[in-house]
């Protein structure tokens, strides 16, 4: 064992002395016999040390995609996968339940959400969106502070050979607000290990107290820092290793309670450790990044990377090097773990990262098209040995990165021209208009991340109108919220007079057939055609027809033709933008399109003058449209699946869909059972998994009149009418003899649909309620959101199963039973509100209801037993008399009240007040007054007098009362209680 650790340390030191030459991006196959890089040796030494010398079990890194944890976009710390152990919800039958000493190297991503380093990447020499966290854990008190500190010190000084005089430590200095004293135990451990007091620092809770969240496990931490200055001048400390001692639980009321089982959770960033061991000031100067930086230089022809920051980095070249190197690592790791660039949640953040990388590589490094994909093999070579999934998925990673790069380049070039043109029109002190930035952003039209737009402006010394941007973001949020309501949002409309005038002028209805001009590419993506049209009429917000509109005005726009889908048939309107032909650098955002008497009215904000007669080119927001297509085809499959589950007479009562979710109203005799909901999902999943073709054809309305199984709503359909058939050509579906419409989804529909069902990915019904008697409303999501919903449901099901197993094992004491009962309540709240399969929610709700009853019964039994025991002890201590005032340890206020009640039951003429000291100085109080002492003497007033003395509060009745307070002088509180009672008696 010691020999293997020594061998790992030897390999490490040899690797640090070695300075390998990188010869550019290699395309050769990776060899398992290649000598380990310096980073690999450092990682191996860490894992070998804990496995061989200290008996830790090595567990693989979890995916960077959190499984069933909606609170996280990405795994951002080593402890994420061990949350069930910290929370006490681990299934006692699972492998994880047996973990005691564990170590690993965890892939982490900090981008988006609460803990995001995305905007800092490139600006300095240390921030990353992807990094590796080396960590060791001790669960359930198998070891604690002394062992954890000793192991860390031994590894850093003996295995890695870091000079002791370069290491400083910090520890928790206490928090008077919460009554927590300093962590003197950790301080003394470091002193015993030889760290002089002059290199020790104490900090408050901001720096040295770790919390999982607003509630839950927490505890003090001690950190090891490295002095970059090496004793020359003032210390320059960088944090190297954080050791967290999880020993408290933050309750819902903000108080801290001791955990029944303590844990150790440590984390050390590999990138920073490597920089220290290789004598570098920057993590980008280590061998984890130098191969990438060299490959970027060779592929772009930009000047070599020189590590400059701030004003010294002229042209932001070195910043671009760091951004591209960091982002291609993040993209590669995330795609290998199943997170691809997309339109919501973590996929949206990854899309933003990809687009930032494209912008920095093409604009600042002058990289050729397809450059980012060529860097993937370099990432695989540096990280693939530790994370084999990168090797397995390297071709897919390169393909997705290259596709995303190509898709974004045209938007980036247009966005840059729009920014340049807008800047030329600004005065010296003007801020950049929020409307233009919004139209460029992921929330607008071209898909440039807002932080990227802001960065491009910052490079030119221009400030963005942030207040205006915040207003637009709020309006977008309000618009999305309104979409969730049954009542459709009203935009600009043409009234009867405007429509009459158009008909009088002989203006034909808008030709909107170009909205169907899209095709499925061999790569699986969709290509949407643009549309050139002429402005026929402009309308102000009050509906007045005008010949032109000026800058900044919101107007209605009528064209001779359009490729925009106007809201109808339950499908949300398209959004996008238009440009004037010949003037491509001015975007006119189109917020929505609506049908008014056969005319399509586009709601537009005009950044410049727009006139009747102008020729324009229209561009739909492709991601928005594609998401609507997915939902609309999913609605058809859901309709068909409901008929399969509930019977052929099942009727649709309405539907609505937008890019985020779909809503479906169905006539039902009774609420759907969990089994029916699950069967419906299964039927849709089967059709999606078969990737069936979707056939669409216009036919004479008369041909659809007598087709068995054909779905249509009680609406007026045009003639000819569009028929959408899944898996069966329309001609075959409409043949009455074929009965095909009974076997698959065939509907009359004017909406836009996928051309194959596979792009739906998945469908999950996440909500269900009775809209009216006989009508059920279903809410569903598809694709990535559906997959996340299934993972959340599976995770909650495992938690419920684990809770049931813990309940069956029984509780040793009241505290454990109460914690289990609270866990049932917490799980019930989580199941009630989670985005998860509705069938699974209903099943878990029923299970939890029964478990909660059992848990509450167990608590009552244990409390009654404990109360009986303490009652007998107190009766033996106090002789018969009118008063008992004493202290007793009770694990909860509920137990204390039960003790008081039982005392008074056995001694009816006695008035009783008991105090129970708790951790951190809190004191519980309960009292009961004998009937013979009232009304002059009441329990509520007695408890209030005592709790007020302790700075707390009290509540209750004349007979029984309770309260809480805080005091270090219990005798003074008891004296107050006795004095008050004797005065009243």
């Amino acid at each position: 064992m010691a020999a293997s650790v020594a061998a790992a340390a030897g390999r490490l030191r040899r690797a640090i002395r070695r300075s390998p030459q990188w010869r550019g991006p290699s395309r050769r196959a990776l060899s398992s016999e290649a000598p380990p890089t310096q980073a690999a040796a450092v990682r191996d030494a860490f894992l070998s040390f804990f496995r061989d010398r200290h008996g830790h079990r090595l567990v693989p890194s979890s995916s960077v995609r959190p499984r069933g944890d909606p609170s996280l976009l990405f795994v951002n710390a080593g402890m994420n996968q061990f949350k069930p152990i910290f929370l006490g919800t681990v299934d006692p039958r699972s492998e994880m339940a047996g973990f005691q000493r564990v170590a690993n190297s965890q892939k982490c991503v900090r981008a988006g959400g609460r803990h995001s380093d995305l905007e800092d990447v490139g600006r300095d020499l240390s921030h990353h969106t992807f990094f590796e966290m080396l960590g060791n854990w001790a669960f359930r008190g198998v070891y604690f502070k002394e062992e954890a500190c000793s192991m860390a010190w031994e590894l850093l000084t003996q295995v890695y050979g870091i000079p002791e005089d370069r290491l400083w430590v910090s520890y928790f200095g206490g928090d008077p607000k919460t009554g927590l004293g300093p962590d003197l135990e950790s301080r003394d451990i470091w002193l015993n290990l030889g760290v002089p007091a002059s290199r020790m620092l104490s900090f408050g809770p901001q720096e040295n107290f770790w919390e999982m969240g607003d509630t839950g496990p927490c505890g003090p931490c001690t950190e090891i820092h490295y002095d970059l200055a090496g004793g020359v001048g003032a210390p320059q400390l960088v944090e190297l290793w954080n050791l967290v001692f999880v020993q408290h639980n933050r309750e819902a009321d903000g108080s801290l309670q001791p955990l029944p089982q303590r844990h150790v959770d440590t984390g050390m960033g590999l990138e920073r450790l490597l920089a220290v061991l290789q004598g570098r000031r920057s993590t980008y100067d280590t061998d984890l990044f130098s191969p990438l930086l060299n490959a970027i230089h060779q592929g772009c022809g930009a000047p070599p990377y020189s590590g400059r920051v701030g004003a010294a980095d002229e042209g932001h070249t070195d910043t671009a090097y760091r951004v591209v190197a960091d982002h291609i690592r993040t993209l590669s790791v995330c795609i290998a773990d199943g997170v691809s660039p997309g339109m919501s949640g973590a996929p949206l953040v990854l899309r933003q990262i990809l687009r930032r990388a494209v912008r920095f590589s093409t604009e600042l490094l002058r990289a050729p098209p397809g450059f980012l994909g060529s860097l993937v093999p370099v990432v695989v070579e540096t990280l693939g040995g530790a994370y084999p999934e990168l090797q397995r998925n390297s071709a897919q990673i390169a393909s997705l990165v290259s596709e995303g790069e190509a898709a974004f380049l045209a938007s980036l070039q247009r966005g840059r021209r729009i920014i340049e043109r807008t800047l030329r029109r600004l005065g010296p002190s003007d801020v950049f208009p929020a409307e233009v930035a919004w139209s460029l952003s992921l929330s607008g039209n071209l898909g440039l991340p807002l932080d990227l737009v802001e960065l491009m402006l910052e490079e030119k010394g221009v400030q963005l109108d942030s207040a205006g941007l915040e207003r637009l973001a709020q309006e977008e949020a309000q618009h999305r919220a309104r979409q969730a309501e049954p009542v459709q949002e009203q935009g600009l409309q043409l009234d009867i007079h405007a429509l009459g005038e158009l008909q009088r002028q002989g203006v034909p209805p808008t030709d909107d057939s170009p909205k169907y001009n899209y095709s499925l590419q061999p790569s699986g993506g969709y290509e949407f055609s643009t549309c050139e049209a002429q402005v026929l009429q402009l309308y102000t917000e009050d509906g007045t027809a005008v010949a032109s509109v000026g800058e900044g005005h919101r107007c209605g726009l009528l064209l001779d033709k359009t490729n925009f889908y106007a809201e109808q048939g339950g499908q949300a309107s398209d959004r996008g933008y238009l440009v004037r032909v010949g003037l491509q650098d001015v975007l006119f955002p189109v917020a929505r399109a609506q049908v008014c008497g056969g005319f399509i009215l586009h709601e537009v904000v005009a950044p410049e003058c727009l006139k009747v007669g102008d020729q324009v080119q229209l561009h739909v927001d492709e991601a928005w449209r594609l998401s609507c297509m997915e939902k609309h085809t999913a609605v058809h499959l859901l309709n068909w699946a409901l008929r399969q589950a509930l019977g052929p007479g099942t009727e649709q009562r309405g539907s609505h869909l937008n890019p985020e979710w779909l809503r479906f109203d169905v006539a039902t005799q009774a609420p759907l059972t969990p089994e029916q909901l699950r069967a419906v999902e299964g039927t849709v999943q089967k059709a999606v998994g078969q990737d069936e073709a979707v056939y669409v054809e216009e036919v004479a309305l008369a041909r659809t009149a007598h087709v068995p199984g054909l779905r249509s709503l009680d609406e007026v359909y045009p003639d000819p009418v569009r028929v959408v058939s899944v898996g069966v050509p329309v001609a075959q579906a409409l043949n009455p003899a074929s009965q095909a419409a009974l076997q698959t989804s065939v509907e009359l529909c004017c909406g836009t649909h996928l051309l194959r069902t596979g792009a739906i990915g998945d469908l999950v019904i996440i909500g269900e309620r009775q809209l009216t008697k006989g009508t059920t409303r279903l809410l569903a999501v598809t694709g990535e959101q559906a997959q996340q919903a299934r993972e959340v449901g599976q995770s909650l099901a495992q938690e419920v199963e684990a809770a049931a197993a813990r309940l069956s094992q029984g509780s040793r004491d009241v505290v454990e039973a109460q914690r289990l009962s609270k866990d049932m309540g917490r799980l019930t709240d989580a199941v009630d509100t989670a985005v998860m399969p509705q069938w699974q929610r209903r099943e878990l709700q029923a299970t939890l209801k029964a478990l909660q009853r059992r848990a509450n019964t167990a608590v009552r039994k244990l409390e009654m037993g404990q109360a009986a025991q303490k009652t007998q002890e107190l009766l033996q201590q106090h002789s018969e008399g009118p008063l008992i005032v004493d202290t007793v340890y009770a694990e909860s206020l509920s137990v204390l009240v039960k003790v008081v009640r039982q005392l008074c039951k056995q001694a009816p003429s006695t008035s009783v007040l008991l105090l129970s000291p708790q951790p951190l100085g809190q004191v519980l109080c309960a009292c009961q007054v004998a009937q013979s002492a009232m009304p002059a003497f009441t329990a509520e007033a007695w408890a209030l007098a005592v709790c007020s003395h302790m700075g707390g509060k009290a509540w209750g009745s004349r007979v029984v009362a309770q309260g809480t307070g805080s005091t270090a002088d219990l005798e003074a509180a008891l004296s107050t209680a006795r004095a008050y009672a004797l005065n009243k008696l």
Side-chain angles (χ1 to χ4, degrees), residues 35-103:
T37 64
Q38 297 175 19
V42 171
R43 189 190 297 112
D44 179 61
F46 180 92
L47 298 174
S48 297
F49 173 81
F50 282 101
R51 179 191 61 204
D52 300 336
R53 189 173 294 185
H54 294 288
H56 285 60
R57 176 178 184 166
L58 299 188
V59 298
S61 169
S62 68
S63 164
V64 296
R65 175 182 181 172
R67 300 295 180 186
D69 188 348
S71 67
L72 294 174
L73 288 170
F74 299 99
V75 166
N76 59 16
M79 55 72 59
N80 289 160
Q81 68 171 306
F82 305 118
K83 268 189 178 183
I85 298 178
F86 291 118
L87 294 171
T89 59
V90 65
D91 189 333
R93 300 161 298 178
S94 68
E95 181 183 33
M96 186 179 287
F99 287 176
Q100 293 185 324
R101 298 167 176 249
V102 168

Side-chain angles (χ1 to χ4, degrees), residues 396-611:
Q396 181 197 13
I397 298 167
S399 174
L400 284 173
V401 168
S402 297
E403 284 179 20
E405 179 181 6
F408 182 54
L409 279 173
S411 293
L412 179 62
Q413 291 162 1
R414 172 168 283 177
R416 185 174 64 247
R417 292 197 302 269
I418 291 169
I419 288 174
E420 295 288 353
R421 191 176 191 280
T422 306
L423 290 176
R424 288 196 294 271
R425 300 175 59 205
L426 294 180
S429 60
D430 289 348
V431 294
F432 193 85
E435 290 76 12
V436 177
W438 187 260
S439 72
L440 295 172
S441 76
L442 285 170
S443 301
N445 299 297
L446 288 188
L448 271 69
L450 277 171
D451 73 310
L452 190 54
V453 175
E454 197 164 2
L455 184 63
M456 294 165 75
L457 295 175
E458 182 185 308
E459 291 170 359
K460 298 179 181 297
V462 178
Q463 189 174 355
L464 179 60
D465 178 11
S466 55
L469 206 58
E470 188 174 340
R471 173 180 52 80
L472 290 171
Q474 289 175 350
E475 290 176 2
E476 170 82 359
Q478 291 167 1
H479 170 63
R480 288 178 180 269
R482 285 193 294 269
Q483 282 188 324
E485 297 302 319
V487 179
Q488 294 184 3
E489 185 180 359
Q490 292 295 312
L492 296 178
Q493 298 281 339
L494 295 180
D495 61 20
I496 190 171
H497 305 293
L499 290 171
E501 181 61 23
L502 289 171
Q503 292 161 1
R504 188 188 65 78
Q505 294 175 8
V507 178
T510 309
D511 174 14
D512 65 347
S513 60
K515 68 189 179 187
Y516 300 122
N517 292 345
Y518 54 88
S519 58
L520 181 60
Q521 302 302 297
S523 65
Y526 281 79
E527 186 176 283
F528 296 87
S529 300
T530 58
C531 174
E532 290 200 5
Q534 183 180 19
V535 179
L536 300 182
Q537 188 61 65
L538 292 162
Y539 297 90
T540 61
E541 290 191 67
D542 63 3
T544 304
V546 293
S548 64
V549 291
E551 178 181 341
H553 285 89
R554 181 168 168 258
C555 64
L557 176 66
L558 194 63
L559 305 169
D560 61 339
K561 56 185 173 181
T562 183
N563 59 347
F564 273 67
Y565 185 87
E567 182 156 351
Q568 56 187 317
Q571 179 175 329
S573 159
D574 278 338
R575 68 179 191 181
Y577 66 94
L578 59 87
V579 294
R580 292 205 299 266
V581 173
L583 187 60
Q584 300 290 311
D585 299 342
V586 180
L587 264 61
F588 293 75
V590 180
R592 64 177 60 84
Q594 298 193 76
V595 182
C596 303
F599 299 97
I600 307 296
L601 190 66
H602 303 74
E603 189 175 311
V604 176
V605 176
E608 289 191 5
C609 178
L610 191 63
K611 304 186 299 296

